[in-house]
Amino acid sequence: MGGYDVNTVASAVLSALLLIFGGSTLIHEMNASHGEVVGGYKLPVEVASAAGGSSEPAEAPKDIWTEQVQPMLASATPDAGQRKFSACSACHTVNKGGRNGIGPNLWGVVNRDIASVDGYAFSNVLAEKEGAWTFENLTRFLHKPKEWAKGTKMGYNGVRKTEDLANIVAYLNSLSDSPAPLAEASQ
């Protein structure tokens, strides 16, 4: 068998393998249900049954503030929030009159105007936001900082667990001479 024949046989075998494995992968990808993105969340799509059922999206995810954290806030504990906040202390100080670190000092952050700490250079996106650090704004920012304030210089990806968010917000609220009532916020 000459060199030409070996190349021909090798090409045929490789082509057959590519057709078998590549074809099945292509068919799988064409028929796969990849879900739909709604409001920044990927929703899974239920696959229709072989009996001819319809293909409908699953229930939309619950709103992080109104349906998840707000109802938990009255029972949230600052102590549990302080334990979860420990990762944040690498960039933020929390003592009254404390210095700014990589991030601003967070004493009295609840209901303070956004981007209002003297001596701290906030990102433009936060400097341009109006309003205060309400329980809702803190929740949404801490859950997905880069989504709530696109362009923020905060490098943290966010708190995913609802209970952790509620406890961290309760802890931040406790860092004040007169904390806001959590029970009123949870209604």
Side-chain angles (χ1 to χ4, degrees):
M1 206 192 259
Y4 178 74
D5 294 331
V6 173
N7 285 341
T8 303
V9 171
S11 294
V13 170
L14 289 174
S15 295
L17 290 172
L18 180 63
L19 184 62
I20 291 168
F21 293 110
S24 66
T25 302
L26 181 62
I27 290 169
H28 172 70
E29 287 299 314
M30 287 173 40
N31 291 325
S33 174
H34 295 289
E36 178 181 356
V37 176
V38 176
Y41 294 96
K42 184 174 182 180
L43 303 177
V45 176
E46 296 174 9
V47 179
S49 69
S54 66
S55 185
E56 295 187 24
E59 183 179 317
K62 293 181 177 180
D63 178 70
I64 193 67
W65 168 247
T66 56
E67 296 178 51
Q68 294 183 25
V69 173
Q70 186 179 21
M72 298 177 90
L73 208 51
S75 62
T77 61
D79 288 339
Q82 183 177 14
R83 286 190 296 277
K84 292 297 179 179
F85 183 84
S86 63
C88 309
S89 63
C91 297
H92 296 278
T93 60
V94 295
N95 50 324
K96 185 175 182 177
R99 64 170 179 73
N100 294 319
I102 294 169
N105 177 281
L106 297 177
W107 176 266
V109 68
V110 173
N111 293 323
R112 176 173 73 201
D113 286 341
I114 296 172
S116 63
V117 174
D118 288 336
Y120 186 77
F122 288 91
S123 58
N124 289 340
V125 68
L126 284 178
E128 293 170 1
K129 280 209 178 268
E130 294 193 16
W133 283 117
T134 61
F135 292 128
E136 179 178 356
N137 285 340
L138 278 168
T139 297
R140 293 186 188 284
F141 181 65
L142 293 173
H143 179 59
K144 292 188 177 179
K146 290 175 177 66
E147 189 175 294
W148 190 82
K150 290 176 176 50
T152 182
K153 58 185 181 178
M154 185 159 109
Y156 185 65
N157 287 329
V159 179
R160 298 294 177 237
K161 292 175 77 179
T162 305
E163 184 177 358
D164 291 346
L165 271 168
N167 289 328
I168 290 170
V169 168
Y171 171 64
L172 292 173
N173 184 55
S174 74
L175 303 173
S176 171
D177 290 328
S178 29
L182 294 175
E184 289 177 19
S186 65
Q187 298 174 0

